[in-house]
Amino acid sequence: MKKIIFLWSVLFIFSACKNAENNTEKTTETPKQEFAIIIHGGAGTILKKNMSAEMESAYKQKLEEAIRVGYNILKNGGSSLDAVTKTINIMEDSPLFNAGKGAVFTHEGTNEHDASIMDGKTLNAGASAGTTTVKNPIDLARAVMDKSPHVMLSGKGADAFAEEQNLNIVDPDYFYTERRFKSLQNIKDKEKTELDHDTKVSFYDADIKDSKFGTVGCAALDKKGNLAAGTSTGGMTNKRWGRIGDSPIIGAGTYANNNTCAVSSTGWGEYFIRGMVAYDISALMAYKGLSLEAASKEVIQNKLTHLGGTGGIVAIDKNGNMVAEFNTAGMYRATMNDKGELTIGIYENVN
């Protein structure tokens, strides 16, 4: 009898220690950041061997310029929403990224933009899809959130709302870049020789799936403890039929909640929509007690990968912990913490 009692005691103590260990793994927190910011400029087959020194330098300079804008806003007590908006503006104005000025072309030879933003404090959100005249789509998403009763506007209606809000409106020719136009022509030429239009229902091919997706995004934590995230994109080269990806979809391309984290996604949008990637990371933190790092790894490396999707996310939690998780060869990314420490990355292992 004494032996049985002893064994039960040992098992009880072992179980208690194991549970304590597991709970510690889930709830261990690093020192809280007063504020922090993380950005991305797209993920995909970004290989050092294919990148010239000049192009690599150009990307790093623009990433640093963008993130410092948001950092300075946060440092001076500004809101995470303002930091996200202004940071994304810098990348939208650069032809380097597939957003704003550098947007890719549709099958019809036009540029159609999608964007979204979300406030982690109120869970309010705004988004726009398929706009053609708004210089900075993230500004439109912000206006939809702040100045309309809606969450998402699209097409001509969204363009008209942008005009009513006195946003910067440009001629569609503003978005033309020779680099993006040549990409469209290359894909169209490949379609003509390789796709059987009688049996194919999709225009995707390996080149499109494996190419760099230059969507831009940002997630930030301000001094008041408020999280925000935003995403802006020109979509997928050669897209047709008014195709909309994950970037303007709240919960897929963008999500923010002060109780958990703020997330911005980039990659093959159809899979991010199916997996509700941005929200799923938050949900794993809320319902399973996972850390931001563990939740991000589970969603990107396991769930998304098993679906067949490629891409990544940048995210920040309520304590200022930051994660850049991707299942591609690279992702343009940068972080800054409340100490002003800057990190910039492009490739998977070599920055």
Side-chain angles (χ1 to χ4, degrees), residues 1-11:
M1 187 66 182
K2 289 182 179 180
K3 288 184 179 180
I4 294 174
I5 293 174
F6 174 76
L7 288 173
W8 273 110
S9 299
V10 170
L11 288 171

Side-chain angles (χ1 to χ4, degrees), residues 241-301:
W241 313 301
R243 179 264 187 187
I244 297 171
D246 66 304
S247 294
I249 307 298
I250 300 302
T254 300
Y255 190 75
N257 186 323
N258 277 5
N259 294 321
T260 52
C261 62
V263 183
S264 175
S265 307
T266 175
W268 197 351
E270 279 71 11
Y271 290 93
F272 280 75
I273 294 172
R274 295 172 196 172
M276 291 302 289
V277 164
Y279 174 74
D280 199 20
I281 292 170
S282 172
L284 286 174
M285 295 175 69
Y287 303 134
K288 293 192 71 175
L290 297 187
S291 67
L292 176 63
E293 181 179 6
S296 299
K297 193 175 295 292
E298 169 65 17
V299 171
I300 299 301
Q301 304 302 341

Side-chain angles (χ1 to χ4, degrees), residues 40-231:
H40 71 75
T45 307
I46 308 168
L47 302 173
K48 192 173 182 65
K49 66 180 182 180
N50 296 332
M51 182 83 70
S52 68
E54 293 77 15
M55 186 63 77
E56 181 178 304
S57 177
Y59 273 108
K60 287 185 175 180
Q61 287 178 20
K62 190 57 65 172
L63 287 168
E64 180 172 354
E65 178 189 349
I67 199 167
R68 286 195 181 278
V69 167
Y71 169 80
N72 287 330
I73 290 172
L74 297 171
K75 181 181 179 181
N76 293 323
S79 72
S80 54
L81 283 168
D82 285 345
V84 166
T85 303
K86 298 302 182 183
T87 296
I88 290 177
N89 282 162
I90 299 297
M91 293 187 284
E92 286 179 330
D93 290 344
S94 169
L96 290 174
F97 306 102
N98 175 19
K101 175 63 178 175
V104 298
F105 284 82
T106 68
H107 183 77
E108 291 74 26
T110 59
N111 307 101
E112 297 179 359
H113 307 88
D114 306 330
S116 63
I117 194 167
M118 187 167 184
D119 180 357
K121 179 181 180 181
T122 64
L123 301 188
N124 198 5
S128 62
T131 60
T132 59
T133 64
V134 182
K135 181 175 181 286
N136 294 106
I138 195 66
D139 291 348
L140 174 53
R142 180 76 182 273
V144 173
M145 179 178 72
D146 291 341
K147 301 178 180 179
S148 85
H150 309 300
V151 170
M152 182 185 289
L153 302 180
S154 67
K156 293 181 179 179
D159 280 323
F161 177 77
E163 288 193 53
E164 292 177 10
Q165 298 302 316
N166 296 315
L167 299 184
N168 199 339
I169 304 300
V170 295
D171 188 281
D173 289 342
Y174 163 81
F175 300 109
Y176 179 91
T177 58
E178 188 68 17
R179 173 190 175 197
R180 299 302 193 191
F181 189 70
K182 285 183 178 179
S183 294
L184 174 65
Q185 300 311 310
N186 290 338
I187 289 176
K188 281 189 171 183
D189 289 343
K190 192 172 184 65
E191 274 190 333
K192 290 176 183 177
T193 58
E194 292 190 6
L195 291 185
D196 176 359
H197 293 287
D198 291 329
T199 59
K200 299 277 187 179
V201 295
S202 172
F203 61 88
Y204 301 115
D205 65 11
D207 282 354
I208 299 175
K209 178 181 178 181
D210 208 31
S211 64
K212 175 179 67 62
F213 306 121
T215 298
V216 304
C218 178
L221 170 72
D222 63 30
K223 289 184 177 181
K224 294 183 179 180
N226 293 320
L227 292 166
T231 311

Side-chain angles (χ1 to χ4, degrees), residues 223-239:
K223 289 184 177 181
K224 294 183 179 180
N226 293 320
L227 292 166
T231 311
S232 181
T233 189
M236 185 174 280
T237 302
N238 199 36
K239 63 183 180 181

